[in-house]
Amino acid sequence: MTDLTERTVPVVTTGDPPPPRFRVPAPVRSIARHAALSLLALVMLYPVIWMVVSSLRPDAEIFRSPGIVLDSLRVANYGTGWNALTSPFGHYLVNSAIVVLGCIIGNLVSCSMAAYAFARLEFTGRRLFFALMLGTIMLPIHVIIVPQYIMFSQLGWVNTFLPLIVPKLLATDAFFVFLMVQFIRGLPRDLDEAARIDGAGHPRIFLRVILPLMLPALATTTIFTFIWTWNDFFSQLIYLTDPEMYTVPVALRSFVDSTVATSWGAMFAMSVVSLLPIFLAFLVGQRYLIKGIATTGIK
Amino acid sequence: MSALGEFRRLGTTRSGPRRKRDNKAAYLFLLPWFGGLLLITAGPVVASFVLGFTDYNLIQPPEFNGLANVRRMVADERLHQALGVTFGYVLGSVPLQLAAALALAMLLDRGLRGLAFYRSAFYLPSLLGSSVAIAVLWRQIFGAEGLFNRALDLVGVSGRGWISDPDTALSTLIVLNVWTFGAPMVIFLAGLRQIPAMYYEAASVDGANRWTQFRRITLPLLSPIIFFNVVLQIIHAFQSFTQAFVVSGGTGGPSDSTLFYTLYLYQRGFHNFDMGYASALAWLLLLIIAGFTALNFWAAKRWVFYDD
Amino acid sequence: MHTPLTRRSVLALAIGAGAGAALAACGGGGGDAGGDISGDPVTLRFTWWGSDARHKRTQQVIDLFTKANPTITVKGEFKEWNGYWDSLATTVAANDAPDIIQMDELYLSSYAERGALLDLGTAAKHLSTADFDAGALDTGKVDGKQYAIPTGLAAYAIVVNTDLLSRYRVALPDDATWTWDDLKRVGAQVSKAGGGTVTGVQSWGFDSGGVNIWARQAGASLYDDEGNVAVPPAVLASFWQYLLDLTKQGIAPPPSVTVERAGGALDQSGTATNTSAFGTWWNTQLTSLAEASGQNLKLLRQPGEARAATPGAYYKPSMFWSVSARSAHPAEAALFVNFLANAPEAGEVLLTDRGVPANTRVRAAITPKLTATDKAAAEYLGALKTGPAPRVTPKGASGIEAILKRHTEGVLFERQTPQQAAAAFIKELQAEIDAA
């Protein structure tokens, strides 16, 4: 693929018109495509469906009756699960929501700023800092967490949401910095050149030109931060020791103890409940994913 | 032009007219990031490096033991097993997951009714993340009485407990990873949205077929995003922990067949009070990942296309 | 070249690393365990693992205690098993451990010998152990010091599903005389009648109970008094050979099914799903199993006890109460442990949740209030003929069950012979002990 290195976008034609070939009528193809996609969706969703079904079964039936055919409907698990721990489950949902909100704001602001610098600005040490940024995501959390815990505990931050949120405000989530760098570099330079000729400085270019154009990247960041923070177990487990501060994943695990009977029905019910916010977030967020350049009509 | 290429250019004096150095603005934009690096990241990272040369049981003060941890790595058979498992997992799961994500993203990008529904349906498994429910759910598919075996029964093949058989356990985790292709799919979708539709229109007018359009337009214009996904998914796969942890109950079993590198490191650090060795293991992993990432950046020069 | 870090060099390291000065966690205990109870308000942190039912019960006990001792506030911190140990290790490393710690036999030495736990003997003024058997108390001693008080006792048992036996017309064996061969024989009868869906025996070899009993019946023990691995390879090999025979003769399910069930939760086991007639369990798990299974389950003594050189059966402390050595309020913490261990009103709430109470007076008091299955578990424990408890798991050997499980899997999948597994197991376990 030699054309990849060319500066212009290659729209290459073969010269010859495409050979005539038999085409399946459009409606048939469409139905076939829907059928295939639906089947795939069903297979992929089977475990999720099983979980929802199990949340409606009595505990004792969950592992004794396989399959997803429901012969009795038992919503009692939802009530039991909601009140199974020392606080109502809503308490943990609120805690998670606070952490998620803080992390989203932190990531959106700090990562986009850092990404703009890496993608568009020339500065001393850029090479080194970029490598450092990538390097920070290469160490597994399990060896970082003990020194970090000691540090935060010296600051008196244990059992607050600060150890979970403040790092995000400081762009420590290199995944999103790198993601945004790649997106910004995909944007045509002519746009910021034009703005610069009009006398715009970097803050203005960043806010008025780049940010609106990287909406898909920002939406991606928001959705992922939401989902990953919502699901993150280990750091929340370590930093939040007081049950009053527990978040959803920590609370959910408190249902399960492998040595005694677990209230599986209640656990699945609360898993379904905790899945709803991120699913809704995805449903809403995905609309912004598709509002990229292609639909704003630039270029 | 790859990021590495750009680094190289920075090293020389060859700067284009529009490549003026802008240190002040850049450092201002990077201020939060510098703050995070110095205040949050640097300390623990340096501490883990120092601890790599100690014997540290978490309860008593660390004791320097020089290169003893490095010598241990050479002789540690479980470490070698973990390396084998992890490389197998990276090689197996990253290409499969990215291919599935790209294929579905292309399919779900435009021109089909009910797109939002399919997108959500395909993303839903990824939402489960590291939920405890995963361990149970996965058994409903690949357990001895799971969906997969019941499908096999229909065609007269008798199955086994795929998750708990050392020959197949790792493969089920690879499938599990492919199953949660939602994240790269969404990133691909966002990337596809950045490709102006007029390119495709022009190509259609010129009579280019789908495959040609894919090769000549989609691939080059999506290449920064593909590159991002490749780099990050490889890093991610090397660090893969949660799924193996949840599915194997933290043991990496059966018979160490799903003993991922980070799982082993975690076991040493937390279960065996061996945090000094775990820290040394972490830095070995960092070197391996950094090597692969550097290789990726080097290769990127040949296939990643930037519009700048 | 082991150079102990001095306080100053640790400080330098920590400052250099920016990681806070507590890496070495060299702070001493704050209070005096033998002192008086403070009149000022005191807040204690109390941590345990378990599932939702235990969290509720424990919170009730906390409320009872704080009602009786209004100046003391107790904050409960509950976790599930894995997260519990990660969190505990981290907080201990940061000198930030909870005051009262629920402890397990596997980890007791690892924490006690490294100075993380308080010698409760120094708190005798507030914490009475008069109602405990000496044998039970000994399980909480390390190097002669009482670092932990057992909450309850458990004993290894065979759980049999009598409904399955009567459905297949298999006679219930007499557990006073039965042998390991008898278990094989009745298991084979069930497997034959079960036609593939039900097997006779659910294989074991994933927890330390089974191997301990096997070794003890052969007159050996897992560890010697010094805490080194002492079990002869031949004894271990015969243990694994027996498990391998069960699998190969179809008495137990195929290896992948066995391993899957062993890795799952209690509710997914063969006993809980009524797909295995016999299974090895701790007696205290009977109630959970019976609820999950919905059929009649009964506790049987281990096979081979009648002919064994020494009794294989023993009382295992189901868990312990312990106090952090760095607690700022050790006297108050001891008072709370005293309440947990001795107060009848606490026992009435906790019942057998943490094992059949090791406190004999509490045990007698709550027995009438137990459910049928809990009563059966308590009676089983009372009637059992036991030998002296095995030595507490030595420091460094906390990973024994993981090592055991790995080798059982290796044997069942025939990746190694029982003899190879025995040699490798001993070597690995000893290496962990030596390294600690």
Side-chain angles (χ1 to χ4, degrees), chain A residues 7 13 122 124 126 202, chain B residues 6 22 27 119 127 206 308:
Chain A
R7 294 280 304 162
T13 57
E122 295 296 314
T124 320
R126 179 170 128 162
H202 285 296
Chain B
E6 208 148 283
D22 220 335
Y27 294 148
R119 264 202 294 265
L127 292 181
D206 288 344
D308 57 5

Side-chain angles (χ1 to χ4, degrees), chain A:
Chain A
M1 280 193 256
T2 51
D3 52 336
L4 293 189
T5 52
E6 289 171 20
R7 294 280 304 162
T8 50
V9 176
V11 180
V12 180
T13 57
T14 51
D16 300 319
R21 57 187 174 122
F22 174 75
R23 291 184 77 86
V24 182
V28 176
R29 278 199 305 163
S30 169
I31 290 171
R33 213 202 260 187
H34 276 290
L37 280 174
S38 305
L39 186 72
L40 186 62
L42 192 71
V43 171
M44 284 199 58
L45 287 181
Y46 177 82
V48 182
I49 297 169
W50 186 89
M51 180 170 87
V52 175
V53 168
S54 295
S55 76
L56 297 166
R57 276 180 174 151
D59 276 349
E61 268 179 41
I62 290 176
F63 294 110
R64 271 189 271 150
S65 46
I68 53 172
V69 183
L70 203 59
D71 42 12
S72 69
L73 199 79
R74 212 179 97 114
V75 289
N77 284 332
Y78 284 81
T80 321
W82 189 269
N83 292 311
L85 302 175
T86 45
S87 302
F89 204 77
H91 188 86
Y92 309 119
L93 290 170
V94 171
N95 284 347
S96 269
I98 296 170
V99 175
V100 162
L101 200 68
C103 290
I104 289 178
I105 294 171
N107 272 344
L108 283 180
V109 174
S110 66
C111 294
S112 63
M113 285 171 66
Y116 180 75
F118 279 124
R120 283 297 202 249
L121 298 176
E122 295 296 314
F123 55 94
T124 320
R126 179 170 128 162
R127 221 172 128 171
L128 173 73
F129 293 137
F130 192 78
L132 268 181
M133 180 204 61
L134 275 183
T136 57
I137 46 179
M138 294 178 193
L139 266 185
I141 180 179
H142 304 103
V143 295
I144 302 296
I145 195 118
V146 171
Q148 212 166 53
Y149 182 92
I150 293 171
M151 185 173 87
F152 286 129
S153 105
Q154 298 283 306
L155 291 171
W157 285 8
V158 169
N159 255 328
T160 71
F161 298 137
L162 293 175
L164 303 171
I165 295 175
V166 170
K168 309 287 174 180
L169 287 167
L170 297 176
T172 50
D173 218 332
F175 176 91
F176 294 112
V177 179
F178 187 27
L179 176 79
M180 292 185 194
V181 166
Q182 292 304 92
F183 268 91
I184 294 175
R185 300 188 66 182
L187 296 173
R189 281 239 183 213
D190 317 355
L191 297 171
D192 20 338
E193 285 306 314
R196 190 181 306 219
I197 289 165
D198 288 347
H202 285 296
R204 212 177 143 82
I205 296 175
F206 172 64
L207 289 172
R208 295 294 168 84
V209 181
I210 300 293
L211 274 189
L213 288 178
M214 57 188 286
L215 199 60
L218 296 178
T220 309
T221 302
T222 308
I223 294 177
F224 285 178
T225 308
F226 197 133
I227 294 166
W228 291 344
T229 311
W230 192 264
N231 283 333
D232 173 35
F233 169 68
F234 196 65
S235 55
Q236 299 181 5
L237 167 94
I238 296 289
Y239 288 122
L240 307 174
T241 53
D242 181 351
E244 284 295 299
M245 303 300 284
Y246 280 4
T247 51
V248 168
V250 184
L252 267 184
R253 298 236 181 170
S254 309
F255 281 92
V256 183
D257 188 306
S258 56
T259 55
V260 295
T262 298
S263 318
W264 289 104
M267 200 276 278
F268 286 131
M270 288 307 103
S271 295
V272 173
V273 167
S274 65
L275 203 55
L276 282 179
I278 36 177
F279 189 57
L280 289 179
F282 182 78
L283 279 185
V284 173
Q286 67 153 358
R287 290 174 41 218
Y288 295 94
L289 284 180
I290 55 176
K291 283 191 186 159
I293 276 196
T295 47
T296 48
I298 293 171
K299 204 169 182 181

Side-chain angles (χ1 to χ4, degrees), chain C residues 58-415:
Chain C
T58 312
Q59 189 58 49
Q60 284 174 35
V61 173
I62 292 175
D63 294 342
L64 287 174
F65 176 76
T66 47
K67 209 188 251 174
N69 300 275
T71 57
I72 302 177
T73 310
V74 179
K75 291 194 127 177
E77 302 177 356
F78 51 83
K79 301 270 156 74
E80 50 82 44
W81 171 266
N82 270 315
Y84 180 84
W85 297 107
D86 299 347
S87 176
L88 184 63
T90 310
T91 51
V92 169
N95 204 1
D96 188 24
D99 301 281
I100 300 108
I101 301 167
Q102 182 174 307
M103 186 46 69
D104 187 81
E105 190 270 329
L106 284 176
Y107 289 96
L108 177 59
S109 281
S110 293
Y111 279 96
E113 286 186 37
R114 289 170 179 141
L117 301 181
L118 180 74
D119 174 6
L120 295 175
T122 62
K125 185 175 161 192
H126 306 292
L127 173 57
S128 154
T129 53
D131 293 324
F132 288 75
D133 288 335
L137 276 181
D138 281 349
T139 60
K141 281 188 182 159
V142 176
D143 296 337
K145 287 183 187 162
Q146 193 81 44
Y147 285 107
I149 308 286
T151 64
L153 298 176
Y156 220 52
I158 300 262
V159 172
V160 59
N161 184 324
T162 48
D163 287 350
L164 277 180
L165 288 194
S166 45
R167 192 200 310 167
Y168 297 131
R169 298 173 203 288
V170 176
L172 182 69
D174 174 10
D175 70 339
T177 58
W178 72 335
T179 63
W180 292 101
D181 284 337
D182 291 335
L183 177 63
K184 264 189 194 169
R185 192 174 41 74
V186 287
Q189 287 170 5
V190 174
S191 282
K192 201 172 156 218
T197 52
V198 174
T199 56
V201 179
Q202 167 178 282
S203 197
W204 59 99
F206 303 96
D207 67 12
S208 56
V211 70
N212 255 316
I213 285 185
W214 193 274
R216 289 160 59 91
Q217 286 190 350
S221 67
L222 209 45
Y223 310 106
D224 61 20
D225 291 340
E226 282 73 47
N228 291 311
V229 184
V231 59
V235 171
L236 268 181
S238 68
F239 171 70
W240 274 311
Q241 186 62 50
Y242 186 83
L243 296 183
L244 184 61
D245 290 348
L246 288 182
T247 301
K248 291 187 95 169
Q249 295 166 15
I251 301 167
S256 68
V257 176
T258 295
V259 171
E260 182 179 315
R261 287 183 184 159
L266 177 141
D267 319 60
Q268 291 156 295
S269 64
T271 308
T273 55
N274 303 321
T275 47
S276 286
F278 296 88
T280 52
W281 294 94
W282 296 100
N283 69 322
T284 45
Q285 291 172 308
L286 181 68
T287 300
S288 299
L289 287 168
E291 273 168 23
S293 126
Q295 299 193 0
N296 284 310
L297 304 183
K298 189 172 165 14
L299 291 169
L300 299 181
R301 274 166 276 183
Q302 294 290 312
E305 287 286 278
R307 291 196 197 166
T310 49
Y314 64 96
Y315 293 136
K316 175 197 183 279
S318 38
M319 50 193 91
F320 299 98
W321 304 122
S322 58
V323 173
S324 165
R326 293 163 197 154
S327 168
H329 311 289
E332 290 80 2
L335 189 71
F336 181 59
V337 172
N338 184 60
F339 185 81
L340 290 168
N342 294 315
E345 61 266 43
E348 277 175 28
V349 175
L350 294 173
L351 295 177
T352 57
D353 178 65
R354 286 181 170 88
V356 177
N359 181 317
T360 48
R361 212 159 50 92
V362 173
R363 193 193 304 180
I366 65 162
T367 305
K369 301 188 174 69
L370 296 180
T371 61
T373 45
D374 276 342
K375 224 175 243 172
E379 279 162 13
Y380 173 84
L381 196 78
L384 203 61
K385 189 165 153 263
T386 58
R391 184 201 191 281
V392 64
T393 302
K395 177 177 78 165
S398 52
I400 177 184
E401 296 200 338
I403 302 175
L404 183 72
K405 174 178 184 295
R406 187 148 37 85
H407 289 297
T408 300
E409 286 161 353
V411 168
L412 292 184
F413 285 105
E414 297 187 68
R415 297 195 154 194

